[in-house]
Amino acid sequence: SEPTFKDEPYKSIARQVIRQRYQLLPYLYRMAWQQTNGGLPLIRPMLYSFPNDSSAANATEQYMFGDALLVAPVTDKGARQQAVYLPEGTWYHLHTSEKILGKGWQTLAAPLEQMPVLVKAGSLLPVWIAGAIAGSTAEYTSATPLQIRYFAGSSAQPQWLYDDDGNNPKALQQKQAHQLLRMQARQNGKQHQISFAPSNWPAGTRRSFSLLPIGLSGQAFTVSVNGRKMKRLFTPGESISFVFTGQSVSLQIVEQ
């Protein structure tokens, strides 16, 4: 069952999926914190996340993975398409960034190397960007720079970044031992407001972030940080770097 013993192209596909899992470590850690702190399951039936959508009850071959990701496993041998139910709103294909509108069933491509995974609009998805990822024990720490992927839209609920040193079993009970950052995104036409506020941030802690907007319709965008406009234009695919020290940060993006 070890991927290293599989033939190609399955070995390379398994390697890529494992790397994606490492990239999602900050998101997985947030989910673990939510489960520990509030009992929220990591894997959630569609009706659990969308209780007012009666059609979600029939989408039994897919699930929400945390609050941002919709996963539609392909279980039929040889299948290269998958029927996916998308609740109302805008969704993004995780691998291609294609924007797809709910509400309703969609038939999505399912090539061998890509299982359909959708991201809910307004999500702020924390990911770890590393080159040759060997493992998390030594390379990923609570000081590791992270990328926050903003999928254009508004989030009804605040989102979180939780982190600690991975060693202290009482980190949640000790304020100096963990980081808890409250994040939220709001969109009004071509204006996007993304806020970062400390819920718990140890004194003296500095952490580097880059915000990558996904799904902007303009050819360029301006950025203001805490009301101060940056002097240059950004283009789609560029990220916005900032250092968080414990003071609230508000980023405003305006599409041109």
Side-chain angles (χ1 to χ4, degrees):
S1 62
E2 295 294 334
T4 189
F5 297 120
K6 295 185 181 297
D7 296 327
E8 294 292 357
Y10 312 108
K11 182 190 294 186
S12 294
I13 293 172
R15 182 185 296 114
Q16 180 60 29
V17 171
I18 291 168
R19 284 176 175 167
Q20 290 172 355
R21 182 259 179 190
Y22 276 112
Q23 287 184 340
L24 287 172
L25 271 177
Y27 180 67
L28 300 177
Y29 216 42
R30 172 169 95 187
M31 291 166 57
W33 169 76
Q34 289 176 319
Q35 186 178 57
T36 300
N37 196 52
L40 295 175
L42 277 67
I43 293 177
R44 308 170 188 179
M46 294 299 296
L47 195 60
Y48 179 96
S49 296
F50 301 94
N52 298 321
D53 186 343
S54 58
S55 296
N58 297 319
T60 57
E61 296 185 4
Q62 61 187 65
Y63 57 87
M64 292 297 296
F65 191 48
D67 49 21
L69 301 181
L70 187 161
V71 181
V74 180
T75 57
D76 293 334
K77 183 177 180 179
R80 294 295 179 264
Q81 291 182 325
Q82 181 73 4
V84 182
Y85 177 73
L86 299 180
E88 187 173 3
T90 301
W91 298 81
Y92 294 86
H93 198 295
L94 178 65
H95 304 295
T96 67
S97 300
E98 177 189 0
K99 186 184 295 187
I100 307 172
L101 295 179
K103 169 180 181 178
W105 288 89
Q106 300 274 352
T107 299
L108 301 183
L112 183 63
E113 67 276 9
Q114 286 185 0
M115 180 172 65
V117 181
L118 287 302
V119 189
K120 186 167 60 174
S123 295
L124 294 161
L125 187 68
V127 296
W128 174 29
I129 302 298
I133 299 173
S136 59
T137 304
E139 297 180 31
Y140 182 84
T141 72
S142 55
T144 298
L146 297 180
Q147 183 182 81
I148 308 294
R149 294 180 181 172
Y150 162 56
F151 294 84
S154 293
S155 58
Q157 301 294 329
Q159 300 166 71
W160 303 93
L161 174 72
Y162 172 82
D163 214 343
D164 57 38
D165 63 7
N167 294 313
N168 187 344
K170 296 184 178 181
L172 271 175
Q173 289 76 43
Q174 300 175 5
K175 290 188 174 183
Q176 281 298 119
H178 73 274
Q179 304 167 5
L180 187 58
L181 189 61
R182 185 182 188 273
M183 310 182 292
Q184 191 149 17
R186 296 180 178 87
Q187 179 182 4
N188 183 13
K190 293 187 176 182
Q191 297 188 9
H192 308 258
Q193 195 84 23
I194 301 97
S195 61
F196 301 86
S199 182
N200 184 77
W201 199 260
T205 300
R206 295 171 58 88
R207 191 155 193 181
S208 297
F209 294 97
S210 63
L211 180 80
L212 178 64
I214 295 172
L216 303 187
S217 58
Q219 298 300 311
F221 58 93
T222 62
V223 177
S224 298
V225 182
N226 290 342
R228 180 175 295 181
K229 188 175 181 179
M230 300 181 75
K231 294 182 179 180
R232 71 182 185 89
L233 282 174
F234 289 76
T235 56
E238 277 194 89
S239 59
I240 307 155
S241 298
F242 64 97
V243 176
F244 194 84
T245 61
Q247 301 297 317
S248 295
V249 172
S250 178
L251 297 176
Q252 185 181 55
I253 297 171
V254 180
E255 299 178 54
Q256 301 300 294

